[in-house]
Amino acid sequence: MAEQAQIEIRHVSKVFKGSGQDVVALKDIDFNISEGQFVCLLGPSGCGKSTLLNAIAGFSLPSEGSVVVGGHEVVEPGPDRGMVFQEYALFPWMTVEENITFGLKIKKAEPHKIEEKLQQLLKTLKLTDFRRRFPKDLSGGMRQRVAIARVLALDPPIMLMDEPFGALDALTRRSLQDELLKIWSDLKKTVVFVTHSIEEAIYLADRIVVMSYRPGTVKKDVHVEIPRPRNPADPDFNNLKRELSQMVMAEQNRFEQATLGSTGD
Amino acid sequence: MAVRKSLLSQLKGVWVPAIVIIVWEAVVRAGWVNPQVLPAPSAVLIKWYQYLMPLEAYDPTQGSRLAWYFSGELVRDLWESFYRVLLGFVIGAGLALPLGLLMGASKHIYDYMNPLIQVLRPIPPIAYIPLAILWFGLGNPPAVFLIALGAFFPVLMNTIVGVRAVDSIYIRAGKNLGAGSFLMFRKIIVPASMPYILSGVRIGIGTGFICMIVAEMIAVNNGLGYRILEAREYFWSDKIIAGMFSIGLLGLAIDTVVSRLNNYLLRWHRGLE
């Protein structure tokens, strides 16, 4: 089972039709993600990594090719692929408790099961004292914990994360990364995690898919063999970081030249 | 310390009205103005008390003392006006809310309805008075119609804008958690647009209140608006002013309740910290 492809990305292309020329966001992306893998999609902004994540989530379907999850083609969003957004996307009119149990209530789970799950998640994510607070009263890190709990409540086999820790300060970020790794290894989830931080990708991932800028293609597929817990001061960590930095910087330069070039005409 | 400070700042608000009243009283007593044109505040207060209290003495055979207290003209007028504005508002907002939600959520319905709405919206509700009387005669029906009309458009327009302004990330999050269209509407779109809807409600009830006073001056023979027009017939300027202050206090009371409700319903909202 471990080597079974859980997410198959089959020759996916995505073209955004603009008012001027069409933008090819993704071009012929083709790879598989196996069950339980922690995959980071890494690349400069605009490289289409979020577009690919949205295609897996079912928010925006590919122009060509298909995404197959668990043997079924993705045609719409679903609770089997829980999404954690960069902007938290908590419902501000609901308390922490209501946000977390929202999906379970939709599924019409039994009240005692909901309460049980809620207690467990509040404990795991250290939110017990905050269950009746509204999101506005929470810090960014707390909000993202609630967003993770909300997704975990439905026990999805796959978690999709779109730069979830991008807006957090370094310390909060590290502690949430550690908690995510713990959740991932305890609950055996498949995680697809979008980031533009090289260090974050190396710290977290089993596998880093480096994407190129327009058209978005897979530039390199790296398996990270460094044992966990990983130390950013470790020489292996730094060697990989240097290697990936060069790759990402090259793409970043291409991106800058492309945007500067396009202002000329 | 904090208590003393807030008491002091509240006292600040007392000075200006106190001075206005003293000057006003002095001007009238000095005979500088005709009391028929501008009665002294003391005269207004006396009239206000008479307007409040029942005309007949308390008679135990006629019912309880409480019922007697509430049988005065002012209390009945207040109740009539309040009931009217509430009924009109509930009808107007009750029609505007579902229509606004539909128009905000569906481009189709919006395209069908919008031209008609845009043509009708700039017509002040007051301009419907002749038609209202023609259609509904005199009494409560035309008044309630005008109030409902006054409340309808603000609630409608704000609801449309509110629904359209719902951040698409909430819709995506809802879909991702498995919400179907009905739940999406009830649990996400309606609460997310609540800040807009409630500001429409506040404007709507204000417009309805104005319509209520106008309607009572024209189509009804009770209520606060009718009473101050009636007082004019008898040159009771003290009663006119007492009536005006009563209208103001009713308006203030309604606005306070709406504002409290607003704060409660939007207790999750960032703007209200």
Side-chain angles (χ1 to χ4, degrees), chain A residues 54 59 77-79 81-83 85 87 89-94 102-103 106 134 136-137 143 150-151 154, chain B residues 166 169-180 183 187-189 191-192 266-270 272-273:
Chain A
N54 281 332
F59 291 131
R81 286 152 283 141
M83 181 92 162
F85 301 87
E87 313 89 323
L90 295 177
F91 303 124
W93 52 90
M94 295 184 194
F102 182 75
I106 290 174
F134 285 103
K136 68 160 183 174
D137 299 324
R143 285 181 204 178
R150 182 172 72 171
V151 160
L154 292 170
Chain B
V166 174
I169 197 153
Y170 299 136
I171 311 275
R172 289 202 289 159
K175 277 188 187 157
N176 187 247
L177 294 165
L183 270 171
K187 294 285 191 181
I188 296 175
I189 294 175
L266 297 184
R267 63 197 183 284
W268 52 269
H269 201 251
R270 267 173 177 287
L272 289 167
E273 275 166 279

Side-chain angles (χ1 to χ4, degrees), chain B:
Chain B
M1 200 59 201
V3 174
R4 183 179 294 174
K5 202 173 176 187
S6 83
L7 202 69
L8 267 176
S9 72
Q10 278 181 356
L11 272 176
K12 272 187 200 158
V14 172
W15 290 115
V16 176
I19 291 167
V20 169
I21 288 170
I22 289 165
V23 171
W24 176 6
E25 182 81 35
V27 164
V28 180
R29 292 215 173 187
W32 292 353
V33 293
N34 179 356
Q36 195 93 82
V37 176
L38 185 69
S42 52
V44 170
L45 211 62
I46 289 163
K47 197 64 171 193
W48 207 347
Y49 180 75
Q50 290 168 348
Y51 181 20
L52 175 71
M53 296 311 284
L55 286 175
E56 289 95 25
Y58 174 57
D59 175 4
T61 60
Q62 294 294 311
S64 71
R65 190 167 274 274
L66 195 69
W68 177 76
Y69 274 125
F70 282 101
S71 68
E73 197 179 33
L74 174 59
V75 179
R76 274 183 292 133
D77 283 343
L78 272 171
W79 169 246
E80 293 281 354
S81 292
F82 174 68
Y83 166 75
R84 207 166 274 142
V85 79
L86 194 69
L87 182 64
F89 173 78
V90 166
I91 293 172
L95 293 171
L97 190 67
L99 182 61
L101 291 173
L102 287 172
M103 283 179 72
S106 156
K107 177 105 177 62
H108 272 302
I109 298 175
Y110 182 83
D111 289 343
Y112 277 116
M113 296 301 298
N114 191 46
L116 178 66
I117 302 282
Q118 291 305 334
V119 169
L120 295 179
R121 191 170 65 101
I123 304 172
I126 313 297
Y128 283 87
I129 287 174
L131 211 52
I133 292 174
L134 211 57
W135 285 353
F136 299 105
L138 295 175
N140 248 340
V144 170
F145 171 75
L146 289 175
I147 297 160
L149 206 60
F152 180 80
F153 285 104
V155 175
L156 178 72
M157 299 323 284
N158 273 44
T159 306
I160 295 172
V161 174
V163 172
R164 294 190 149 196
V166 174
D167 194 333
S168 67
I169 197 153
Y170 299 136
I171 311 275
R172 289 202 289 159
K175 277 188 187 157
N176 187 247
L177 294 165
S181 16
F182 177 69
L183 270 171
M184 187 76 84
F185 217 77
R186 207 164 64 88
K187 294 285 191 181
I188 296 175
I189 294 175
V190 172
S193 40
M194 203 44 91
Y196 286 88
I197 295 175
L198 288 176
S199 75
V201 160
R202 208 160 172 188
I203 303 167
I205 206 152
T207 317
F209 193 74
I210 296 171
C211 291
M212 177 267 285
I213 297 297
V214 175
E216 285 177 348
M217 287 178 159
I218 288 162
V220 200
N221 58 7
N222 57 40
L224 295 165
Y226 167 78
R227 203 61 64 199
I228 61 173
L229 210 66
E230 182 199 48
R232 191 209 56 164
E233 307 256 323
Y234 301 103
F235 288 98
W236 289 338
S237 48
D238 42 7
K239 192 169 181 183
I240 294 177
I241 295 172
M244 285 168 65
F245 278 117
S246 305
I247 291 169
L249 288 177
L250 178 61
L252 183 66
I254 290 173
D255 193 58
T256 306
V257 170
V258 173
S259 149
R260 289 270 166 86
L261 186 72
N262 197 65
N263 287 353
Y264 175 73
L265 288 175
L266 297 184
R267 63 197 183 284
W268 52 269
H269 201 251
R270 267 173 177 287
L272 289 167
E273 275 166 279

